[in-house]
Amino acid sequence: MFEASELNIRNRKIESLFRILFLLMAGLLILPVAIILAILTYKGSSVISMNFLFTSPTEGMTAGGIFPALIGTIWLVSVALLFSVPLGVAAAIYLSEYARDNWFTRIINLAIINLAGVPSIVHALFGVGAFVLFFRFGTCILAASLTLGIMTLPVVIVSTWNALQAVPMAFREACWNMGATKWQTIRKIVLPNSISGILTGIILMVSQTAGETAPIMFTGAAFFLPQLPQSVFDQTMAMSLHLFVLATQVPGVPEDVPYGVAFVLIALVLVMNSLSIAFRVYLRGRKKW
Amino acid sequence: MVTAMASLPHIDNPVKLAVKDVAISYGGRTVLESVTFDVHEHEIFGIIGPANSGKTSFLKTLNRMDIFNPSMTFTGQITFNDRDIRKWRNVYSLRKRIGVVFPLPVGLPLTVYENVALAPRLSGVTGKADLDIIVERCLERAALWDEVKDRLDSLGSLLSGGQQQRLTIARALSQEPELLMLDEFSIAVDPVTTMRIEDVLKKLKKEMTIVLVTNLVQQARRLADRMALFLDGEVVEVGITEDLFAGQVKDQRTKDYLDGRFG
Ligand SMILES: Nc1ncnc2c1ncn2[C@@H]1O[C@H](COP(=O)(O)OP(=O)(O)O)[C@@H](O)[C@H]1O
Ligand SMILES: [Mg+2]
C-alpha cells in the first residue's frame, strides 16, 4: 500500500518533469521567429513608407522604393500558382483516390520524393535548360514561374494528398454504396471536406515561392529593371533577388534599406499565412464532422 | 414424427436474388464458400453467424463492392433480377437498386437534409420541391421525421446514435432500392430504437426485399422469414425461420447455434 503510493508520487514527478521539458522545447520554437521579427521591425520599419512601397529604385538602387520588385514577386508567384496548383491537386487526387498500388504508382511516388529532394539551384539549372533554352521562352516571368512551379509541385502534391487521406474511408464507401461514381464522391464529399487542408498546403507553397531566389536568378528575375512587366514574356525584378542584390552587390546602400525589403517580404508572407488561417477557421466553422 | 413444414405466403414470389455456389476469397485465402440460396421478393432473408464467418464479405459481393478491393475475388454466380451481377453494364445502377446500412451509422458530413437528398441529387433530381418531398417521405418511413423535422439543417453527425442509424436507413431508402441490406444494424443502437427499426423493417418488407445480417439470433427469429447460418466459412443451413427454431434442421450445428450452445 505504502510502496505503491510512493511509486505514484515518483511517476507524478517524472510526468510533470517531462511536461515542463516538452513545453520548454515547444516554447523555444517561438524564439527565432520573435527575434527575426524584432530585428526586422526595429531596423526595417523606419524605411517603410508609401514612397518606399510604390516607387521604383533610383540612384543605382541606393534610394527610391521597391515597387517593381513587389509587383514582380506577385507576378512570379501567381503564374507559378496557376501552373502548380491545378497540376499538383490533380496528381494528388489521382494518387489518393484512383491509383492502385502497382509499379506505376510507385514510380510516381518515387519521382515526387526525388523532386522534393532536389536543391533549388539544380532546379534553376533545369529551368534554364528546359524553359529558357529548349522551349525558347528566354529569361522571363514564364520561365521563372514554371521553374518555381515545378520546384513547389511536391509540396502541393504531398499536402493535398494528406488532406484527402484525412477524409475517413467510410464516407467514400457510403457514397459508393449509393451508386456514386468515384468522381461524384470526390466532388460531393472528399473535396468539400479536405479543402481547408489543401488550401493550407497551397499557402505554404506561396510563402516558400515568394522567398526563393536561386530558381529565378537565371530564368527570369532581373538585377535592376525599373519598369513593370507587361506580360509573362518580360523579365522582372523580384523581392528576394532584390534583397540579395542590395545586401551583397551594391555599394552605398543605407544599412536600413535591406532590412526594409526583408520586412516587406516577411510581411507579405505573414499576411498570406494569416489569410489562410482566417479562411481555415471560417471553413472549420462549417466543418461537417 | 413428421411435422408439416411451415408455409410462407411469399415463397411463390419471383426470385429477387439467386446465389449459386458462391465462394469469396481475399488474396487467395477463401473465407466463405458453397453459398447457395434464393431470396424472394418481399421477404426478409436473415443471415446469422459468428464474427468472421463472412457475412459482411457476402454483402459486399452482392453490390459489387469487391471491385474496390483488388485482393477480393468471388466465384460462382449471383443474379439480381435474373441478371448476372457481373454482367450489369454499369455497377452504379446495380448499387442504386441496393440500399446498404452499416453496423456503425456513417453519417455523411452533411446536414440531415443533404444526407437524404444526396442519392436523389446524384441521380439527377434537382428541384427543391421534389427533393423536399423525397426527404420527408424517406425520413418518415425510417421513423425519424418527427424527431428531426425542425433540425433538417443541422449536421447529421450531431444526432444521437440511434437517430443516426435511422438517418442511414432514410438515406438508403432515398435511393428507392429494390433490395435493402442491413449489416448488424443494432450493434450501436439502444434497445428501444432497435425495436422501432424492427417495426420499420416489417413495414418496408411490403415495398422491397430485405437481407438482414444479424448477430442476434432472437432478432432473426423476430424478423426473418427464412434464414441462413454462416459458420466456419460455409453455409451450413438455409431454411424457414420457424422450422429452424422448431428444430427441423439438417445440421446439428444449427440447433446448437440457435440454442446458444455454441463455442
Ligand atoms: N478487406 C479484407 N482483406 C482481407 N481479409 C478480409 C477483409 N475483410 C474481411 N476479411 C476476412 O474475411 C473473413 C470474413 O470477414 P467478414 O466478412 O467481415 O465476416 P463477418 O462480417 O461475418 O464478421 C475474416 O476472416 C476477415 O479477416
Ligand atoms: Mg461483419
Side-chain angles (χ1 to χ4, degrees):
Chain A
M1 229 33 211
F2 188 62
E3 277 168 347
S5 89
E6 209 160 60
L7 194 68
N8 276 348
I9 292 173
R10 224 187 64 194
N11 279 340
R12 270 224 312 276
K13 277 186 180 157
I14 294 175
E15 166 73 12
S16 50
L17 187 76
F18 271 97
R19 211 191 40 170
I20 292 171
L21 195 69
F22 289 132
L23 180 73
L24 276 178
M25 304 280 225
L28 274 179
L29 284 177
I30 305 173
L31 217 57
V33 180
I35 292 175
I36 290 173
L37 284 180
I39 292 179
L40 287 184
T41 313
Y42 174 66
K43 294 207 171 182
S45 57
S46 60
V47 301
I48 308 293
S49 66
M50 283 315 233
N51 208 37
F52 184 71
L53 290 176
F54 295 111
T55 63
S56 291
T58 52
E59 292 169 41
M61 290 193 276
T62 55
I66 55 165
F67 193 51
L70 196 57
I71 295 298
T73 290
I74 293 173
W75 267 93
L76 288 168
V77 171
S78 313
V79 177
L81 274 178
L82 281 180
F83 169 74
S84 64
V85 168
L87 201 65
V89 170
I93 289 178
Y94 173 77
L95 289 172
S96 161
E97 308 298 317
Y98 291 96
R100 293 199 164 172
D101 187 21
N102 54 25
W103 63 269
F104 182 64
T105 309
R106 267 175 245 148
I107 285 179
I108 296 179
N109 281 325
L110 207 62
I112 294 167
I113 293 169
N114 280 310
L115 198 59
V118 174
S120 56
I121 189 70
V122 177
H123 277 287
L125 293 179
F126 167 77
V128 172
F131 303 122
V132 177
L133 300 175
F134 183 79
F135 287 111
R136 294 173 195 280
F137 295 153
T139 50
C140 63
I141 292 176
L142 185 61
S145 288
L146 288 177
T147 309
L148 285 173
I150 286 185
M151 198 183 80
T152 47
L153 212 45
V155 180
V156 178
I157 295 176
V158 171
S159 62
T160 305
W161 187 86
N162 281 327
L164 295 172
Q165 290 288 306
V167 177
M169 201 60 196
F171 293 171
R172 294 180 182 83
E173 283 177 357
C175 254
W176 297 337
N177 269 304
M178 295 163 109
T181 61
K182 279 205 167 175
W183 174 238
Q184 284 175 321
T185 306
I186 292 167
R187 210 170 33 124
K188 296 272 186 189
I189 300 294
V190 180
L191 281 182
N193 288 290
S194 53
I195 191 74
S196 76
I198 295 174
L199 286 174
T200 309
I202 292 172
I203 301 287
L204 271 181
M205 174 233 157
V206 168
S207 306
Q208 188 195 344
T209 310
E212 280 295 338
T213 316
I216 58 174
M217 202 147 60
F218 315 123
T219 50
F223 190 80
F224 175 62
L225 193 68
Q227 65 269 40
L228 300 180
Q230 300 302 309
S231 79
V232 293
F233 294 106
D234 288 345
Q235 288 193 38
T236 181
M237 291 183 78
M239 295 288 288
S240 53
L241 183 61
H242 189 55
L243 177 58
F244 170 71
V245 165
L246 289 188
T248 63
Q249 311 287 307
V250 186
V253 179
E255 207 209 335
D256 288 352
V257 174
Y259 286 102
V261 178
F263 182 82
V264 176
L265 188 57
I266 292 278
L268 207 64
V269 169
L270 284 184
V271 167
M272 289 298 302
N273 287 351
S274 323
L275 276 181
S276 88
I277 291 170
F279 195 60
R280 255 164 52 210
V281 169
Y282 165 75
L283 285 176
R284 193 166 314 143
R286 309 184 340 158
K287 186 154 176 165
K288 305 294 172 57
W289 89 85
Chain B
M1 187 182 123
V2 183
T3 40
M5 294 272 254
S7 71
L8 292 170
H10 56 260
I11 206 86
D12 298 322
N13 284 356
V15 172
K16 192 75 192 169
L17 192 68
V19 184
K20 217 163 119 194
D21 208 18
V22 164
I24 301 171
S25 55
Y26 290 100
R29 188 174 72 94
T30 302
V31 297
L32 181 67
E33 58 190 344
S34 40
V35 187
T36 302
F37 54 74
D38 292 344
V39 177
H40 297 264
E41 280 180 21
H42 301 292
E43 81 171 327
I44 297 184
F45 189 88
I47 296 176
I48 58 171
N52 291 331
S53 55
K55 307 182 295 294
T56 301
S57 304
F58 178 69
L59 293 189
K60 282 186 180 164
T61 308
L62 289 185
N63 70 343
R64 298 303 321 270
M65 290 296 282
D66 60 298
I67 292 171
F68 292 108
N69 184 347
S71 78
M72 184 178 182
T73 52
F74 77 96
T75 58
Q77 196 190 41
I78 301 174
T79 61
F80 180 75
N81 290 351
D82 295 328
R83 268 168 76 193
D84 190 332
I85 60 166
R86 289 179 204 270
K87 300 206 174 107
W88 277 66
R89 256 176 305 127
N90 87 43
V91 288
Y92 309 111
S93 82
L94 174 70
R95 293 200 192 113
K96 278 190 181 129
R97 289 161 204 251
I98 302 178
V100 191
V101 174
F102 300 101
L104 298 176
V106 179
L108 288 171
L110 301 167
T111 62
V112 171
Y113 184 96
E114 288 300 328
N115 259 285
V116 187
L118 182 59
R121 276 190 208 280
L122 292 175
S123 317
V125 180
T126 50
K128 174 91 171 89
D130 295 336
L131 288 172
D132 285 351
I133 293 170
I134 295 173
V135 169
E136 175 168 354
R137 206 175 111 70
C138 293
L139 287 170
E140 193 82 67
R141 289 198 292 166
L144 187 59
W145 175 251
D146 289 335
E147 288 163 56
V148 300
K149 64 171 183 263
D150 300 321
R151 47 194 294 203
L152 292 176
D153 290 328
S154 68
L155 288 178
S157 50
L158 297 180
L159 300 178
S160 74
Q163 288 173 326
Q164 284 197 48
Q165 193 58 295
R166 279 175 286 156
L167 181 62
T168 63
I169 292 176
R171 200 173 66 206
L173 293 178
S174 73
Q175 297 167 230
E176 295 294 339
E178 300 166 23
L179 175 70
L180 183 63
M181 311 196 293
L182 299 104
D183 191 357
E184 302 186 349
F185 75 86
S186 53
I187 242 172
V189 174
D190 62 279
V192 176
T193 310
T194 301
M195 285 308 168
R196 290 190 69 175
I197 296 180
E198 288 189 8
D199 288 339
V200 166
L201 296 179
K202 283 178 200 153
K203 279 186 209 148
L204 286 177
K205 178 178 146 176
K206 300 194 180 80
E207 304 167 45
M208 61 193 69
T209 310
I210 296 175
V211 172
L212 175 78
V213 166
T214 177
N215 55 343
L216 306 174
V217 171
Q218 290 309 316
Q219 185 172 65
R221 183 176 203 169
R222 287 192 293 270
L223 291 175
D225 299 298
R226 292 187 309 135
M227 61 184 213
L229 172 61
F230 286 20
L231 203 64
D232 300 333
E234 55 180 10
V235 180
V236 299
E237 190 89 40
V238 179
I240 295 170
T241 307
E242 235 176 86
D243 293 344
L244 297 183
F245 277 96
Q248 297 179 14
V249 296
K250 294 189 206 76
D251 194 308
Q252 181 58 32
R253 286 175 292 176
T254 309
K255 204 163 165 23
D256 293 344
Y257 192 81
L258 294 183
D259 292 348
R261 270 187 278 117
F262 213 82

